[in-house]
Amino acid sequence: MKSQLVEKAKTEHREEQNVSGIDIDNNQKQGEKSSNKSAFVFGVLYVLTIVLVFLVIFEGFYR
Amino acid sequence: MKKYLPLVAVVVFVAALFYAQTTNKMDAELVQGYYRQMSPGAVSFESINDKVAKAIGADGKVMAYLGVSTNIGYGGPMLVGSVFFADGAVQDVVILEHKETPSYIDKITKAGYFRQYTKKQIDDALVLDYDIDGVSGATLSTRAITKSVQDVAHIVAAKEFKVTPKKSNNGVQVGFKEIAVAALFVLSVFMPRIKGLAKFRLLLLGFSMIILGFWLNRPLSMGHIGALFLGYFPKPSENLIWYIVITGALLPALFTGKNLYCTFVCPFCSLQEATHLISKVNLPIGKYIKWLRIGKDILLFIVLFFAFLYLNPSIASYDPFGTIFGLNGSSYSWYLLFVILIASFFYRRFWCVAFCPVGTFLDKVAGIGRNVRGKVQMLTSKGAKGAVKNEEPIS
């Protein structure tokens, strides 16, 4: 009886670990995805700004 | 290889400066061309000095006095031509060459700045804010024009009319503006050192946005830094704030090894902090931050290289400070400002992180300051150890 209870507790603990393991993986993946997304948006804004920066610079030569 | 890059950059800057100095000299033929442009009815021009002359009419009489003079405006040197009637009254003032933003020149013209010269005589003081009114938001440009007119007028007055020009009573002006700007910089030095004061950083930035930004429109710009390297120093009596801003930003960076200006004073940083406070969003940039630093170094190099090559501190300056604080700029400048402000809602201090050449320059100055301090500390500690070693046998 005692050994059954111990076995049951071990199984539950393993299941909990698995569940939390899946959660961590999911969180990590979601975090990476949102980080990649924000880095991508930053990249788009960077390119747009740098184009405008060079337009302002070139405009300076034709004043 | 990487450690030699700063040296290579300095060599390129010096070469560009040398090239510009040898090719940008104004020759006598060019001056004569300007004389003909300013006084088309003259038959000949009789020199008073290399940049001032008498215009001789068909009857052989002096029909006008005229000359050219260069002074530093906001964007760099401005070449201004002045023409005077034979009786000494001002006939015309013309901007012959300039590096200012065209909208500033439009502003000056529309404000009626040039019209006030028609009432002036050759021996008047011709000093801005004394007997000539400036144009708010274009002080540096109007000051350069006024000084150029004065240069020519007073030469003609002394050499041809044999009169002593009137003098202004303007000495070094220390007023509320100068004290307010100096207070911002003093607070920026003490704020990180005094416990409990650092939490008022945003408040100081807010004051700076109002004082150095929207009120005076004098934030540190690449124009200041380029002018410093090219030796375009304004007179302290005419532009004391220029000195307060440049020393207030550079000296603490050099002596403390920290870029205090960007953190505590920059009005544009203040504006971006305000957008961040509104949105409370700061999205991660990712692992590309080191590439952004390289990009900023390249942009700083481009701005300084063209400043040296064209002897014009702000020819390649792209900072949007004048656009927002002076409400003056080209269409591209306004688009740029719009994109930066939108981006700064999502990425905190977007401009500072990825583009600002002023911040990059100050970071480099602070880096030099840290290196020097480190070396001095190393030498003093070595000296102290040496002294201890020398003392040991005696004890």
Side-chain angles (χ1 to χ4, degrees):
Chain A
M1 185 66 185
K2 194 182 171 187
S3 64
Q4 273 179 339
L5 281 172
V6 169
E7 194 58 37
K8 197 183 170 187
K10 274 183 182 175
T11 314
E12 277 174 2
H13 182 63
R14 213 177 293 132
E15 278 170 359
E16 268 174 28
Q17 273 187 326
N18 279 342
V19 170
S20 60
I22 289 163
D23 281 344
I24 289 164
D25 285 351
N26 272 344
N27 284 343
Q28 267 181 348
K29 276 179 189 170
Q30 275 175 353
E32 275 171 20
K33 262 186 189 175
S34 68
S35 177
N36 284 342
K37 206 186 243 179
S38 92
F40 174 75
V41 175
F42 183 88
V44 172
L45 284 168
Y46 184 87
V47 171
L48 183 61
T49 312
I50 203 89
V51 168
L52 285 166
V53 160
F54 278 100
L55 284 171
V56 172
I57 290 175
F58 288 124
E59 203 181 30
F61 289 98
Y62 295 103
R63 279 174 202 164
Chain B
M1 179 63 198
K2 200 178 160 186
K3 68 176 180 180
Y4 294 113
L5 280 177
L7 188 69
V8 172
V10 171
V11 170
V12 172
F13 291 151
V14 172
L17 194 60
F18 179 74
Y19 173 79
Q21 292 284 6
T22 50
T23 55
N24 275 296
K25 281 181 183 162
M26 198 178 1
D27 56 22
E29 208 172 300
L30 192 65
V31 174
Q32 288 288 323
Y34 285 131
Y35 289 165
R36 281 192 288 275
Q37 186 184 326
M38 288 190 287
S39 186
V43 175
S44 64
F45 299 97
E46 200 178 297
S47 291
I48 296 172
N49 72 14
D50 60 339
K51 286 180 185 173
V52 183
K54 287 186 259 188
I56 310 295
D59 56 357
K61 288 182 180 171
V62 175
M63 58 181 281
Y65 297 95
L66 74 177
V68 294
S69 179
T70 304
N71 279 282
I72 309 303
Y74 181 80
M78 291 179 83
L79 181 69
V80 176
S82 311
V83 188
F84 305 91
F85 289 112
D87 65 354
V90 179
Q91 182 183 337
D92 200 8
V93 175
V94 201
I95 299 171
L96 298 165
E97 284 177 23
H98 72 89
K99 317 282 186 192
E100 315 293 274
T101 310
S103 52
Y104 278 83
I105 301 297
D106 290 344
K107 194 174 183 177
I108 292 168
T109 311
K110 282 177 188 162
Y113 167 81
F114 292 105
R115 279 200 297 274
Q116 61 188 317
Y117 282 101
T118 53
K119 296 167 194 162
K120 298 295 169 197
Q121 289 289 320
I122 216 156
D123 61 340
D124 281 331
L126 300 170
V127 172
L128 197 77
D129 298 333
Y130 179 70
D131 58 350
I132 298 289
D133 295 326
V135 176
S136 176
T139 313
L140 298 183
S141 311
T142 46
R143 182 163 280 142
I145 300 167
T146 313
K147 182 73 180 68
S148 298
V149 178
Q150 188 207 56
D151 288 345
V152 177
H154 288 185
I155 287 170
V156 177
K159 292 201 171 177
E160 294 297 312
F161 288 72
K162 310 291 181 201
V163 291
T164 309
K166 291 168 194 159
K167 283 186 179 170
S168 72
N169 299 323
N170 292 354
V172 175
Q173 292 173 359
V174 182
F176 184 63
K177 289 176 188 174
E178 286 77 12
I179 292 169
V181 174
L184 290 175
F185 284 100
V186 170
L187 280 171
S188 78
V189 173
F190 286 108
M191 201 162 256
R193 285 160 188 270
I194 298 172
K195 213 177 175 185
L197 260 186
K199 63 182 174 190
F200 296 112
R201 176 180 160 260
L202 288 182
L203 192 67
L204 181 63
L205 278 172
F207 277 120
S208 180
M209 182 166 64
I210 296 164
I211 296 168
L212 210 54
F214 289 108
W215 179 29
L216 301 172
N217 184 19
R218 297 285 190 86
L220 182 72
S221 69
M222 283 313 290
H224 285 88
I225 294 161
L228 184 72
F229 281 119
L230 292 170
Y232 295 162
F233 301 112
K235 274 189 176 176
S237 60
E238 293 173 353
N239 196 357
L240 189 61
I241 291 178
W242 190 91
Y243 288 92
I244 298 172
V245 169
I246 208 145
T247 52
L250 289 182
L251 293 186
L254 205 56
F255 289 111
T256 66
K258 287 175 189 166
N259 177 358
L260 299 176
Y261 176 82
C262 289
T263 317
F264 294 98
V265 186
C266 177
F268 198 71
C269 167
S270 174
L271 200 69
Q272 292 177 94
E273 290 285 17
T275 56
H276 171 67
L277 273 179
I278 294 166
S279 70
K280 300 222 186 297
V281 174
N282 183 19
L283 297 175
I285 295 168
K287 55 193 173 185
Y288 304 107
I289 193 100
K290 70 169 185 179
W291 294 104
L292 295 180
R293 285 196 196 111
I294 295 170
K296 283 205 297 182
D297 284 349
I298 293 170
L299 287 170
L300 176 65
F301 176 82
I302 290 171
V303 174
L304 285 177
F305 175 74
F306 284 115
F308 288 130
L309 193 63
Y310 286 86
L311 295 176
N312 181 346
S314 55
I315 190 164
S317 181
Y318 57 85
D319 39 38
F321 310 150
T323 312
I324 181 73
F325 299 124
L327 300 176
N328 219 327
S330 64
S331 50
Y332 288 132
S333 305
W334 282 108
Y335 296 145
L336 178 64
L337 179 69
F338 178 73
V339 173
I340 296 161
L341 289 182
I342 293 293
S344 67
F345 273 98
F346 304 103
Y347 300 93
R348 192 179 170 199
R349 297 173 72 183
F350 175 76
W351 176 257
C352 314
V353 169
F355 298 98
C356 184
V358 175
T360 312
F361 179 78
L362 287 177
D363 285 342
K364 298 213 176 297
V365 173
I368 292 169
R370 283 195 299 274
N371 276 344
V372 172
R373 276 181 82 178
K375 278 181 184 164
V376 169
Q377 276 172 356
M378 224 166 70
L379 282 175
T380 49
S381 65
K382 268 184 187 174
K385 276 180 189 170
V388 170
K389 272 184 186 174
N390 287 339
E391 280 169 11
E392 274 170 359
I394 299 166
S395 63

